[in-house]
């Protein structure tokens, strides 16, 4: 495709994004994946849950002529995906075993007549004669494979039927571009997707895995049920998911929440299909605020207004954890991901891994089985490190997924508990004086030696060089080595001292050093909090202390949205207006028989409650309001805002 064709395709893609979906711009990575797919190139998009993978194929589907086939593993959720698209005025349908014959023929007719742009199918459908006839009639412009990791044995959601996809694609003439999407980042799974789906020289894009609006927390409560109850009670206004390791735990936890008067429902593979569907709907439609579930629940759940995900037990690996936790805050609103950890979780998971049954189509061969078990145990070790680390949780996750991360995000439970702001003016003056005194003797030394001098160490180097006769020798004996090192780092970072870029870097005075001695000088440093000696040695001590109260009253944090920085309107949200808009949304959604978040996301309502649009044009500026939604709901929402302002 020529460059100007590509530019005009992208211009159309932006129009679709704005007019259909009501979004002003693509998120990082989406534009590249859209562009490559539109140029006819196979793509593999690896993005975290909630990052917006769907738009990467939905937008091209609407730019290209012809049908887009979306292969997705979960039948029970296709209807909601289709509803969401239709609410944006997109002609979409799904084909799966849950359709009644009449519905099925209606869908087939629409597809054959070119009145369907996006068709969701379960992989099991692909090989059927009915489907082959259908795609022979309707030219397929694009094939999208959602949750593409399901094709890999090494993923955590292996589905044998995904193996049928390449044959289906081969049968299409001409072969359309194929887009594959997953949140699973391990190299092994990625390689499997490329190979097993037979992607042709795909454009592979791995976006950043950070989800800035998610607040990560790990707690180790003495009393798990009480901790959970306190947390859920503290988040009554929100909808949330509680993941448990076993069906029995799901039953118990759900029961406990219900008896405490909370609106909870449950989901696990032991329940009948009808009940699962009903409970899932209760949750999606906000009739029940809390879903207590095993990991059988959630893949493909696009409910955007999930305010928290609590793991009542530790899952087996960080891929699963991040995927499940990532179901919180999809619409970009601030949300919490809490892991309740107990050491028994490790034993339980080890048992489950080593006693797991052979996987279907998988490791009948004992060597392969052993390899898989070792692989799973290694993943479990990493998960356990996450649960027990004292370091930044967000940083831990990002590094696990192969990304660089700052030492502290300042927002997770570790960063919030482990750091304190200290006035270290005097300490800073002492440290800088030491560098001055050394210079008077014509010496420049490294950070380690400065630390030793200030702490009054009697090591050989100091004594041999007579550094114990410096006036600054031993003046910071009461400061720990790690804190002193950290102080020097901050002094260098803030430019009060220089560090040479030589093989053995040495510390030097600079023109900003003297500023610290001004009468009004003040030097505050954010440093890791030092625990009293009795509490040192891991988070265990701290966890034991933390009662359930600690969980419910998490420290207030800056509201962070999906794009990291707080939005400029965030502070202007009128809570009463938000409630009115929410009530209106509930009414419209129930009249239409749709989940509330399909009408508008919480993020869109919050923006409305802050910007208070008065005209259709102003309403269109709100992220998530496109042409169709404006037409359907605009008048109602504008009237509601008017009424509120006129009160
Ligand atoms: P994923 O499949 O990657 O888990 P989804 O496709 O379900 O994520 O998208 C998550 C949410 O992000 C949805 O509510 C979607 O509408 C929203 N979203 C996606 N792309 C954008 C964008 N460019 N601007 C604003 N919101 C977006
Ligand atoms: Mg998705």
């Amino acid at each position: 495709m020529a460059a100007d064709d590509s530019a005009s395709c992208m211009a159309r893609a932006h129009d679709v994004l704005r007019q259909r979906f009501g979004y002003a711009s693509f998120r990082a990575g989406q534009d590249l994946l859209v562009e490559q797919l539109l140029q006819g190139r196979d793509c593999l998009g690896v993005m975290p849950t909630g990052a917006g993978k769907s738009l990467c194929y939905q937008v091209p589907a609407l730019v290209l002529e012809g049908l887009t086939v979306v292969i997705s593993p979960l039948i029970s959720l296709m209807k909601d995906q289709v509803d969401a698209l239709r609410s944006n005025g997109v002609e979409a349908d799904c084909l799966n075993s849950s359709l009644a014959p009449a519905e099925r023929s209606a869908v087939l007719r629409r597809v054959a007549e070119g009145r369907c742009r996006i068709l969701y199918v379960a992989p099991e459908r692909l090989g059927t004669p009915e489907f082959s006839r259908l795609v022979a009639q309707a030219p397929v412009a694009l094939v999208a494979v959602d949750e593409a990791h399901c094709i890999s044995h090494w993923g955590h959601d292996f589905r044998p039927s995904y193996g049928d996809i390449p044959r289906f694609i081969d049968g299409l003439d001409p072969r359309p571009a194929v887009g594959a999407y997953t949140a699973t980042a391990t190299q092994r799974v990625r390689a499997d997707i490329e190979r097993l789906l037979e992607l042709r020289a795909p454009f592979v894009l791995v976006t950043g895995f950070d989800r800035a609006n998610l607040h990560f927390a790990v707690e180790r409560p003495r009393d798990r049920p009480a901790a959970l109850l306190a947390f859920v009670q503290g988040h009554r206004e929100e909808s949330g998911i509680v993941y448990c390791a076993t069906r029995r735990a799901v039953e118990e936890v759900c029961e406990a929440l219900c008896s405490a008067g909370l609106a909870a429902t449950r989901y696990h593979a032991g329940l009948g299909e009808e009940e699962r569907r009903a409970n899932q709907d209760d949750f999606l439609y906000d009739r029940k605020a809390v879903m207590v579930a095993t990991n059988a629940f959630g893949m493909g759940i696009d409910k955007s207004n999930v305010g928290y995900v609590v793991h009542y037990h530790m899952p087996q690996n960080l891929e699963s954890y991040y995927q499940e936790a990532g179901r919180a805050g999809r619409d970009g609103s601030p949300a919490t991901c809490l892991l309740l950890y107990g050491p028994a979780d490790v034993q339980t998971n080890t048992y489950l891994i080593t006693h797991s049954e052979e996987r279907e189509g998988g490791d009948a061969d004992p060597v392969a089985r052993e390899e898989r078990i070792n692989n799973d145990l290694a993943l479990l070790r990493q998960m356990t490190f996450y649960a027990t680390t004292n370091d930044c949780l967000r940083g831990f996750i990002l590094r696990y997924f192969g990304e660089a991360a700052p030492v502290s995000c300042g927002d997770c439970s570790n960063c919030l508990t482990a750091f304190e702001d200290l006035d270290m003016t005097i300490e800073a003056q002492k440290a800088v004086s030491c560098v001055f005194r050394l210079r008077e003797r014509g010496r420049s030394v490294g950070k380690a030696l400065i630390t030793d001098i200030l702490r009054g160490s009697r090591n050989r180097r100091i004594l041999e060089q007579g550094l114990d006769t410096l006036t600054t020798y031993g003046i910071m004996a009461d400061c720990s080595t790690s804190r002193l090192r950290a102080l020097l780092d901050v002094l260098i970072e803030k430019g009060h001292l220089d560090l040479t870029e030589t093989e053995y870097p040495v510390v030097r005075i600079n023109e900003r050093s003297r500023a610290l001695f001004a009468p009004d000088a003040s030097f505050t440093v954010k440093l890791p909090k030092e625990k009293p000696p009795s509490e040192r040695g891991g988070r265990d001590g701290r966890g034991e202390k933390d009662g359930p109260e600690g969980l419910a009253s998490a420290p207030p944090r800056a509201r962070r949205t999906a794009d990291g920085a707080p939005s400029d309107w965030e502070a202007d949200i009128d809570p009463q207006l938000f409630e009115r808009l929410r009530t209106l949304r509930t009414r419209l959604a129930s009249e239409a028989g749709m989940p509330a978040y399909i009408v508008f996301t919480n993020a869109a309502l919050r923006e409305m409650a802050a910007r208070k649009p008065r005209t259709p044009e102003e309403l269109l500026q709100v992220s998530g309001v496109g042409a169709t939604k404006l037409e359907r709901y605009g008048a109602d929402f504008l009237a509601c805002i008017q009424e509120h302002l006129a009160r």
Side-chain angles (χ1 to χ4, degrees):
M1 187 180 287
D4 48 346
D5 284 353
S6 160
S8 80
C9 269
M10 280 315 279
R12 296 221 303 281
H14 278 105
D15 285 347
V16 167
L17 182 71
R18 254 189 314 272
Q19 288 166 9
R20 288 286 172 203
F21 297 96
Y23 297 135
S25 53
F26 284 115
R27 288 189 183 149
Q30 284 179 328
D31 47 351
L32 293 173
L33 286 163
V34 166
E35 185 175 12
Q36 293 293 320
L37 203 57
L38 283 175
Q39 290 187 22
R41 182 154 176 208
D42 286 1
C43 287
L44 170 57
V46 185
M47 296 170 147
T49 307
K53 290 184 283 295
S54 327
L55 277 186
C56 297
Y57 55 82
Q58 289 168 348
V59 169
L62 299 179
V63 171
L64 297 172
E65 306 270 320
L67 178 71
T68 290
V69 174
V70 182
I71 301 158
S72 163
L74 272 186
I75 294 173
S76 59
L77 291 157
M78 286 181 187
K79 182 179 164 294
D80 293 328
Q81 283 162 337
V82 167
D83 280 349
L85 281 168
R86 288 199 183 149
S87 79
N88 280 319
V90 177
E91 294 171 313
D93 277 296
C94 60
L95 263 187
N96 59 47
S97 54
S98 77
L99 293 187
E103 284 176 293
R104 179 148 73 234
S105 17
V107 172
L108 294 175
R109 205 169 331 112
R110 280 198 292 272
V111 175
E113 291 170 3
R115 286 188 291 123
C116 169
R117 303 301 302 279
I118 304 183
L119 178 66
Y120 281 80
V121 289
E124 292 77 13
R125 290 272 112 198
L126 298 173
T128 63
E130 177 191 79
F131 199 71
S132 307
R133 272 197 305 279
L134 185 67
V135 293
Q137 289 172 313
V140 177
L142 205 60
V143 173
V145 184
D146 207 1
E147 316 287 358
H149 59 276
C150 291
I151 202 167
S152 168
H153 289 283
W154 299 110
H156 47 94
D157 281 319
F158 175 58
R159 303 284 162 112
S161 55
Y162 263 59
D164 299 338
I165 298 175
R167 231 174 311 140
F168 161 70
I169 296 172
D170 263 351
L172 297 173
D173 184 25
R175 178 190 183 279
V178 179
Y181 307 88
T182 180
T184 302
T186 54
Q187 195 48 51
R188 202 170 204 171
V189 174
R190 248 182 257 167
D192 265 6
I193 294 174
E194 280 194 54
R195 188 173 55 86
L196 298 173
L197 271 184
E198 300 174 14
L199 298 181
R200 298 191 182 165
F203 170 71
V204 181
L205 184 97
V206 185
T207 64
F209 264 65
D210 190 18
R211 296 267 316 277
N213 61 316
L214 298 185
H215 163 67
F216 291 95
V218 177
E219 292 296 344
R220 186 173 178 164
R222 213 172 11 205
D223 182 347
R224 259 198 254 226
L228 178 72
L229 188 60
F231 179 89
V232 175
Q233 275 168 338
H235 291 77
R236 269 177 187 276
E237 301 297 300
E238 292 165 52
S239 183
I241 305 175
V242 178
Y243 279 109
C244 303
T246 62
R247 297 175 190 182
R248 211 178 95 194
V250 167
E251 294 292 334
E252 287 168 7
V253 168
C254 185
E255 172 68 37
L257 293 178
C258 289
S259 11
L262 293 157
T265 183
R266 66 203 202 288
Y267 190 105
H268 58 70
L271 300 174
E273 200 180 316
E274 216 163 289
E275 184 177 0
R276 284 205 305 259
R277 176 78 220 184
N279 293 354
Q280 176 176 295
D281 280 353
D282 280 346
F283 179 64
L284 295 183
Y285 288 69
D286 294 322
R287 294 188 288 262
K288 294 283 167 68
V290 190
M291 170 58 87
V292 186
T294 59
N295 60 7
F297 176 77
M299 193 181 11
I301 287 273
D302 291 332
K303 183 175 168 66
S304 66
N305 59 338
V306 175
Y308 61 85
V309 171
V310 177
H311 280 76
Y312 192 71
H313 299 110
M314 181 179 75
Q316 283 182 12
N317 52 61
L318 265 169
E319 276 86 7
S320 308
Y321 180 68
Y322 203 47
Q323 185 140 33
E324 287 157 13
R327 291 175 186 141
R330 264 173 193 273
D331 69 357
S333 302
T336 301
C337 306
L338 170 65
L339 169 62
L340 299 178
Y341 169 74
D345 291 345
V346 181
Q347 289 153 15
T348 314
N349 280 321
T350 306
Y351 181 88
L352 289 174
I353 289 170
T354 49
H355 289 73
S356 65
E357 286 166 20
E358 282 176 9
R359 288 194 186 173
E360 194 184 342
D363 45 30
D365 164 14
V367 179
R369 180 180 156 80
E370 191 177 322
E371 195 189 343
R372 180 177 61 75
I373 288 176
N374 287 337
N375 174 60
D376 289 353
L377 289 175
L379 298 182
L380 174 62
R381 267 196 299 282
Q382 291 294 326
M383 182 71 234
T384 312
F385 288 147
Y386 174 83
T388 54
T389 183
N390 275 323
D391 294 336
C392 172
L393 296 173
R394 183 186 305 279
F396 191 98
I397 292 172
L398 293 180
R399 278 186 287 274
Y400 179 80
F401 287 116
E403 256 179 66
V407 178
S408 158
C409 72
D411 181 60
C412 69
S413 60
N414 280 353
C415 287
L416 287 173
T417 13
F419 285 82
E420 56 189 344
D421 279 320
L422 293 178
D423 179 349
M424 296 192 77
T425 315
I426 297 186
E427 287 83 354
Q429 290 169 344
K430 287 179 177 171
V432 173
S433 302
C434 185
V435 186
F436 268 115
R437 297 285 164 256
L438 281 160
R439 193 177 66 165
E440 285 169 4
R441 291 197 183 178
R443 299 289 312 272
S444 296
V445 307
K447 288 189 281 188
L449 194 53
I450 295 174
T451 306
D452 284 347
I453 296 168
L454 285 164
R455 296 197 72 241
S457 154
R458 305 204 53 77
N459 77 32
R460 234 176 78 202
R461 220 165 134 206
I462 292 198
L463 300 179
E464 277 174 10
Q465 301 181 15
L467 297 175
D468 54 339
T469 61
L470 284 166
T471 51
T472 50
Y473 176 78
I475 57 172
M476 293 182 77
D478 54 351
C479 190
S480 70
T481 307
S482 62
R483 174 148 291 188
L484 196 39
R485 294 287 299 249
L487 172 66
L488 287 172
D489 286 340
V490 180
L491 284 166
I492 292 162
E493 187 196 316
K494 300 222 165 135
H496 291 290
L497 290 172
D498 284 341
L499 189 67
T500 60
E501 285 175 15
T502 45
E503 193 182 348
Y504 299 101
V506 294
V507 180
R508 294 237 170 93
I509 294 298
N510 65 26
E511 65 283 0
R512 295 201 52 214
S513 304
R514 273 187 203 285
L516 287 171
F517 297 88
D520 58 348
S522 147
F523 192 73
T524 322
V525 187
K526 188 172 184 184
L527 283 181
K529 202 172 199 160
E530 295 200 323
K531 294 172 188 163
S534 63
E535 279 183 39
R536 286 205 185 131
R539 54 179 303 117
D540 301 27
R542 190 175 77 216
E544 290 300 320
K545 256 194 314 104
D546 274 349
E549 327 73 74
L551 297 177
S553 55
R557 56 202 170 87
R559 286 191 156 280
R560 308 214 310 173
T561 58
D563 305 315
S567 314
D568 50 0
W569 46 263
E570 196 73 42
D572 301 331
I573 297 175
D574 175 340
Q576 282 161 345
L577 177 55
F578 178 78
E579 278 316 313
R580 282 183 162 220
L581 295 170
R582 204 149 81 150
T583 311
L584 172 63
R585 177 181 68 176
T586 307
R587 180 168 67 73
L588 294 175
S590 77
E591 280 169 15
M594 282 191 307
Y597 63 89
I598 290 185
V599 173
F600 281 125
T601 62
N602 277 359
L605 291 195
R606 294 185 2 186
E607 195 173 332
M608 286 182 211
R611 292 188 189 266
K612 308 176 187 69
R614 288 159 183 275
T615 62
E617 293 70 39
E618 285 175 13
L619 187 56
L620 264 182
Q621 298 299 308
V622 171
S623 185
V625 184
T628 302
K629 287 194 179 174
L630 178 71
E631 194 182 304
R632 282 196 198 156
Y633 311 120
D636 286 324
F637 281 83
L638 285 171
C640 176
I641 295 166
Q642 267 310 321
E643 212 174 285
H644 181 74
L645 293 178
R647 120 216 87 117

